[in-house]
Amino acid sequence: MHGRRSFVGGIVLLGIALLSAFSVVASTHESRQIYSRLQGLEADRWYLEEEHSRLLLEQSTWASHHRIESEALNSLKLVVPAGNKVRVVSLGRVPQ
């Protein structure tokens, strides 16, 4: 009876060891997948930050006073009105 008990105990320990080994393999695999996903997301973040910097630079270029004036004169054919054509309009009581 004692020999059979040792055999069953050995089988149980072997099963626990195999279960533990498979758990380690599974968690290592999952960890590597998560790390791979992290690297992909970091690459995406780097690309988006670079694109954001380019867009900020482009926005500041388009919003410069010189660029706006140039577009108004050349593309839209706007002109600065003569001094006698300018009117000041008040929408309320003027403080005294």
Side-chain angles (χ1 to χ4, degrees):
M1 191 68 124
H2 190 272
R4 184 180 168 111
R5 203 178 205 182
S6 295
F7 179 73
V8 171
I11 295 293
V12 169
L13 287 177
L14 179 63
I16 292 172
L18 285 174
L19 183 63
S20 175
F22 286 131
S23 296
V24 168
V25 169
S27 68
T28 301
H29 177 70
E30 185 178 359
S31 174
R32 286 182 179 161
Q33 282 183 325
I34 291 170
Y35 184 71
S36 175
R37 177 85 172 122
L38 173 66
Q39 286 181 320
L41 291 172
E42 285 178 343
D44 290 347
R45 180 184 59 105
W46 179 81
Y47 172 78
L48 290 173
E49 284 180 354
E50 188 176 291
E51 181 71 14
H52 182 252
S53 296
R54 277 195 298 266
L55 290 172
L56 286 175
L57 182 59
E58 185 177 344
Q59 180 187 27
S60 68
T61 300
W62 279 96
S64 72
H65 294 294
H66 175 71
R67 177 79 177 156
I68 292 171
E69 185 176 358
S70 173
E71 288 295 313
L73 294 174
N74 298 327
S75 297
L76 300 175
K77 306 296 185 219
L78 298 178
V79 294
V80 178
N84 61 352
K85 299 284 185 184
V86 176
R87 300 267 195 261
V88 177
V89 178
S90 174
L91 297 177
R93 219 172 74 174
V94 179
Q96 296 182 9

